[in-house]
Amino acid sequence: MKTTKKAVVSGLAMIGAAALLAGCGAAPESNGASGGAAAGASDYLPCMVSDSGGFDDKSFNQLGKEGLDAAASELGSKKPIEVQSQSETDFASNLQNLVDQGCNTIITVGFLLAPAALESATANPDLQYVSIDDTVDQNFDGKTDAPNIKPIIFDTAQAAYLAGYLAAGTSKTGVVGTFGGMNIPTVTIFMDGFAQGVEKYNTDNGANVRVVGWDRTAKDGSFTGGFEANDTARQTAQALIDQNVDVLLPVGGPIYQSAAVAIQDAGREIALVGVDADVFETDPSIGSLLLTSILKGIDVGTKDAIVAAGEGNFDVTPFIGTLENDGVGIAPYHDWSDRVSSDLTSKVDALKADIISGKIKVESYLAG
């Protein structure tokens, strides 16, 4: 299933984010620029609103919640309030609900929450907001649009590049695939980095591994239209498997569950690549399928931001996760370890070092 929904907005968002982040490659140190909670940590109330994936998605939203809970535990603050969204129409009302309950800091999980987050932050300038996966630059001028919002974002193209190289080196059919929930930058950054890694493998090894499901030139590919584990996601995965794919990267929270069903139904060896969390750890039921996972330190970034806010040191400087600061990475190969050669492992490790040093430039809308 193809979609170009939000394509224009996505393109503008890339321009805005690139301008905002120019020269910002590492995780910033807290500088207390925006003050902090009005009372002591015991009176501090951190809150979170999910996107439609839900807090039990074993991926994106779940990592945000884990980071929030860990921060509250360390601070000894009030028990966090967490509100789950069923759809985009819930965002504004969920945010207002948290404002009405006296939250000091509100974390929004996901790119799609940015417009509602901006509206809420603008209406409540004395509250603190943390935006996971978006810079909240709705006018695309290269600046976060409200002075009380801290972005937590991740250049996952760097880690996906490693996963793409690994996938190409692991594939026996010479075809690897990827599909996403929606054609938005925080999804396609994985798909594009993955494709770049495959291209690098082909160049280095004189190979011709194909990527299906994402076209780097057209900036379009296979999308389910949402972030739910449903039959549409299963059919999308199946369509790629039917093209002889034997490594598959689904990008969009729970849609990996539908991909796993399609893989299990295929009756042949197909590796799954997870995203956000180490899915081998968060969902052991499909652990045997996982080659690796492309990791985002959402839990770490969230925890650090909330601990700083609870201690009175809220800092709106963007956190940008990279390979260099361990904000992104790839998970161990777990059950697939004996099927990944030591030579391929060494090459992936060398690529990581070259990306960190700047020798290899991975293209993305977050690349400085």
Side-chain angles (χ1 to χ4, degrees):
M1 177 178 180
K2 284 195 173 186
T3 177
T4 56
K5 183 179 181 182
K6 301 183 184 291
V8 174
V9 172
S10 295
L12 290 171
M14 291 181 185
I15 296 170
L20 176 70
L21 300 173
C24 297
E29 297 294 329
S30 175
N31 62 19
S34 298
S42 62
D43 294 319
Y44 171 68
L45 178 58
C47 302
M48 176 175 285
V49 57
S50 80
D51 73 1
S52 59
F55 289 121
D56 61 350
D57 62 359
K58 298 180 174 61
S59 183
F60 187 85
N61 290 282
Q62 181 171 319
L63 285 175
K65 182 181 184 303
E66 289 174 358
L68 174 64
D69 291 343
S73 177
E74 180 171 320
L75 288 166
S77 70
K78 292 180 178 178
K79 179 178 174 57
I81 299 173
E82 297 143 353
V83 181
Q84 187 164 298
S85 303
Q86 301 302 317
S87 69
E88 291 182 48
T89 58
D90 295 336
F91 293 161
S93 60
N94 280 345
L95 283 165
Q96 187 59 50
N97 180 10
L98 295 179
V99 171
D100 293 343
Q101 292 188 69
C103 298
N104 298 107
T105 307
I106 298 175
I107 306 97
T108 59
V109 187
F111 177 95
L112 296 176
L113 268 153
L118 176 59
E119 183 177 353
S120 184
T122 302
N124 300 280
D126 294 333
L127 300 185
Q128 303 159 349
Y129 290 76
V130 176
S131 170
I132 296 175
D133 246 9
D134 194 77
T135 58
V136 195
D137 179 18
Q138 298 291 292
N139 61 6
F140 315 112
D141 66 351
K143 301 176 182 178
T144 298
D145 293 338
N148 53 332
I149 300 177
K150 177 185 180 67
I152 298 178
I153 49 185
F154 303 88
D155 195 354
T156 40
Q158 294 185 351
Y161 187 103
L162 303 181
Y165 194 99
L166 173 67
T170 303
S171 176
K172 295 178 180 178
T173 66
V175 187
V176 300
T178 181
F179 70 100
M182 295 178 69
N183 190 346
I184 57 177
T186 49
V187 170
T188 60
I189 191 172
F190 284 91
M191 301 165 76
D192 202 62
F194 184 78
Q196 288 177 69
V198 174
E199 292 170 7
K200 175 63 173 173
Y201 179 87
N202 288 338
T203 299
D204 287 355
N205 298 278
N208 190 32
V209 178
R210 292 193 301 118
V211 178
V212 295
W214 176 248
D215 185 327
R216 292 200 66 220
T217 301
K219 298 188 184 304
D220 198 11
S222 298
F223 297 93
T224 66
F227 299 101
E228 295 79 33
N230 54 25
D231 197 56
T232 298
R234 184 195 63 78
Q235 291 180 28
T236 305
Q238 185 63 55
L240 298 179
I241 290 171
D242 289 346
Q243 297 179 62
N244 210 26
V245 160
D246 65 352
V247 183
L248 183 59
L249 166 66
V251 186
I255 67 173
Y256 80 86
Q257 298 166 17
S258 302
V261 171
I263 288 172
Q264 291 163 338
D265 289 346
R268 61 184 177 88
E269 186 172 87
I270 301 170
L272 183 67
V273 178
V275 298
D276 299 332
D278 183 348
V279 181
F280 184 92
E281 301 290 348
T282 60
D283 190 356
S285 69
I286 53 96
S288 63
L289 303 179
L290 285 158
L291 171 60
T292 188
S293 295
I294 301 166
L295 306 176
K296 296 171 71 169
I298 294 169
D299 51 346
V300 176
T302 301
K303 179 185 175 183
D304 288 353
I306 297 306
V307 168
E311 292 177 342
N313 298 314
F314 182 66
D315 177 10
V316 297
T317 307
F319 171 91
I320 308 105
T322 64
L323 287 175
E324 184 174 11
N325 63 29
D326 293 323
V328 300
I330 60 173
Y333 307 150
H334 297 299
D335 287 356
W336 275 73
S337 295
D338 60 353
R339 284 169 279 183
V340 179
S341 70
S342 58
D343 179 62
L344 181 56
T345 298
S346 296
K347 288 179 178 179
V348 171
D349 290 342
L351 285 176
K352 178 179 178 180
D354 285 345
I355 293 171
I356 291 173
S357 72
K359 182 177 179 180
I360 292 176
K361 302 289 187 183
V362 181
E363 296 177 13
S364 85
Y365 73 98
L366 295 181

